[in-house]
Amino acid sequence: MQQVPKQKGNYGIDAPIVVRNLSLMGIGFLMIGVAAFFVFPARLQWLGITMGVVFLLTCLIGTVEALYMVWSSKVGKFRERERLLDLVAPRGDEKVLDIGCGRGLVLNAAARRLTTGKAVGVDIWNKQDQSGNDPEVTRANARIEGVADRVEIISGDARNMPFMDNDFDVVVSSLAIHNIKNSIDRSRALGEIMRVLKPGGRFAILDFQHVGEYAEVFVKLGALDVRVVGPHWLIFPPVRIVTGRKPGEREG
């Protein structure tokens, strides 16, 4: 795995609504837990103590989960994106597609590995999936990271991508495809990956849900060398990666 370089861009918090809700739940359970020690009469003090301990433990669990999610957004996902890119092993001259690129975490890291190639990011820019998700933020991060000349940003849906057949040497995606709620539509997105890949092109999809499903669909679509790597615990919930390649010979 390549050493993770010092980060300069701002890549936000993943699932910010979940982090907010966990934090609010932690505060709520803390208040209820403290109150439980005082609201019961002396003869029921044992019940107040029991309820207080339960609510305080629940507060602790929710707070730890929220902090873990923030840590994974600020530290863990940087390490996982390098693992993801190691699996597709860019040579430097490829055209790479990042599906659900968000603020450019994987996109810019892919661009850093390129010399004459190009990294293309596509997204629908849903701010519920990532805080501050916006194409202008993504472009700003690319400029900050010094890779703007090798990055292109496009708005588009993974289920119907605005690209020609056999257009990319490498396709990656991180924590994006699970946001497609319907299994039929997820299969459509995976079919699009196979469509836009060149013969012999490689793919790697990192996610914490449906990864086994992704692998099965890729096999049905004719992908070769399909395997699931993980789970890895640097991101919460723990993630796995499905990787493989499109049939045919890779050029060069």
Side-chain angles (χ1 to χ4, degrees), residues 81-95:
R81 66 113 185 256
E82 299 302 325
R83 195 194 306 266
L84 178 73
L85 292 171
D86 286 345
L87 288 171
V88 291
R91 300 169 309 204
D93 60 347
E94 296 96 338
K95 188 176 182 181

Side-chain angles (χ1 to χ4, degrees), residues 149-160:
D149 60 328
R150 301 191 294 279
V151 165
E152 181 179 357
I153 309 298
I154 295 175
S155 295
D157 193 314
R159 296 165 293 186
N160 186 23

Side-chain angles (χ1 to χ4, degrees), residues 141-212:
N141 279 335
R143 290 192 295 270
I144 292 170
E145 298 284 357
V147 296
D149 60 328
R150 301 191 294 279
V151 165
E152 181 179 357
I153 309 298
I154 295 175
S155 295
D157 193 314
R159 296 165 293 186
N160 186 23
M161 292 191 287
F163 307 116
M164 297 176 61
D165 295 354
N166 306 320
D167 202 9
F168 293 91
D169 302 284
V170 173
V171 175
V172 293
S173 182
S174 176
L175 302 175
I177 295 179
H178 75 271
N179 292 312
I180 302 174
K181 302 306 181 183
N182 186 289
S183 62
I184 295 176
D185 286 341
R186 288 195 296 271
S187 295
R188 285 177 57 192
L190 302 181
E192 282 288 275
I193 291 174
M194 292 294 285
R195 179 183 69 80
V196 302
L197 265 177
K198 294 179 180 179
R202 297 197 62 84
F203 62 83
I205 314 299
L206 181 150
D207 221 327
F208 63 89
Q209 291 180 318
H210 314 303
V211 177

Side-chain angles (χ1 to χ4, degrees), residues 35-49 51:
F37 286 104
F38 301 102
V39 298
F40 288 89
R43 69 178 185 278
L44 295 177
Q45 190 174 30
W46 64 270
L47 180 58
I49 293 173
M51 291 183 63

